[in-house]
Amino acid sequence: MLMETPKEELTKRHMLLEAVESIGGVLRDNANKSEEISTLAPESVEALKGAGMLRLKVPKDIGGFEVDPVTDAMVLEALAYHDMTSAWCTMVGNTTVSALAGFLKQPIVDRIFKDGIPTGAVSFFPAGRAKREKGGYRVSGHGRFGSAIRHAEWVAAGTIIENEPGQEGPPQVIFAVFPIKDVKLHDNWGDVVGLKGTGSCDFSVENYFLPDDMGFVWDLL
């Protein structure tokens, strides 16, 4: 297991690429299993975790590697040579947990990351709808393409906050963050063709109270 993070970026890059090669056999051996069970095989998940692949983009101060974009792309490319599904789930998982670390308020980050770096999934399309109420929002929605969600601990979902009466302008879009235990998974990824092993099934919440501090704006500008 990778514990120390080299300070020099090229050293870190080489270390991570070597880590990919060290688990390449496991990823290849379980690629068909992932396709058969419509989610990333547990053996592949554990190999990725053990090699540090699920903390590539997380800040250093909470145990991540905080890699540069070139290293990130090179590691994902190297994973894809062994197993496309593992590479895709690694990309999604890293995107999710690094967003939680980077955009949520510090007390929430401390709580989510208190036992180490968790696993995550994200659905970008704003399929959720939220109404403001005291202390947060009331959220309902049906998210799609939840890649990696079957081994995720947290899920972020694009959500539109409905305008209040008399409020003008476009509604705000946030990412609502849910513990996986609070979302319903829909088993609708078994008949797809291509990347079936990503387990990208739908998920939903209904009339869910989301505290103010469990949502964030991902400002692409």
Side-chain angles (χ1 to χ4, degrees):
M1 180 178 291
L2 300 174
M3 300 298 294
E4 300 297 329
T5 302
K7 294 182 179 180
E8 206 280 317
E9 292 300 324
L10 286 180
T11 301
K12 185 194 306 182
R13 180 181 300 172
H14 292 315
M15 180 191 73
L16 289 169
L17 290 173
E18 288 177 358
V20 171
E21 293 310 306
S22 74
I23 62 171
V26 175
L27 303 183
R28 292 192 304 272
D29 290 346
N30 288 281
N32 288 337
K33 180 176 180 178
S34 297
E35 293 293 300
E36 291 169 1
I37 64 176
S38 298
T39 189
L40 190 61
E43 295 87 347
S44 297
V45 174
E46 290 307 310
L48 292 168
K49 286 181 179 179
M53 296 295 110
L54 302 185
R55 54 191 179 108
L56 291 177
K57 299 197 289 186
V58 175
K60 297 174 185 175
D61 60 0
I62 55 175
F65 289 119
E66 200 173 325
V67 300
D68 63 85
V70 174
T71 297
D72 186 40
M74 291 178 70
V75 170
L76 292 175
E77 180 183 34
L79 286 169
Y81 274 109
H82 297 292
D83 176 34
M84 286 290 294
T85 292
S86 293
W88 182 263
C89 288
T90 297
M91 179 274 295
V92 171
N94 275 285
T95 298
T96 307
V97 294
S98 63
L100 302 187
F103 292 106
L104 290 174
K105 294 180 179 179
Q106 193 60 48
I108 304 302
V109 173
D110 292 341
R111 176 160 64 87
I112 291 177
F113 288 79
K114 66 181 176 65
D115 296 321
I117 296 172
T119 49
V122 62
S123 177
F124 287 93
F125 186 79
R129 294 294 184 272
K131 294 183 178 180
R132 286 184 172 87
E133 61 179 62
K134 185 176 181 180
Y137 310 94
R138 188 63 59 178
V139 181
S140 295
H142 189 111
R144 295 174 174 82
F145 300 109
S147 297
I149 198 169
R150 291 200 178 274
H151 63 265
E153 297 166 79
W154 296 88
V155 56
T159 303
I160 295 174
I161 301 175
E162 296 179 0
N163 284 347
E164 298 178 351
Q167 182 180 349
E168 298 181 353
Q172 185 181 29
V173 177
I174 66 170
F175 281 89
V177 179
F178 309 103
I180 196 65
K181 66 180 179 63
D182 290 345
V183 306
K184 179 180 179 180
L185 299 185
H186 300 271
D187 190 16
N188 63 342
W189 198 249
D191 297 324
V192 301
V193 176
L195 291 181
K196 183 178 177 182
T198 62
S200 304
C201 63
D202 290 5
F203 62 93
S204 63
V205 294
E206 187 68 31
N207 199 35
Y208 182 91
F209 178 72
L210 184 81
D212 278 325
D213 52 11
M214 292 302 291
F216 63 89
V217 176
W218 194 330
D219 187 349
L220 298 181
L221 298 180

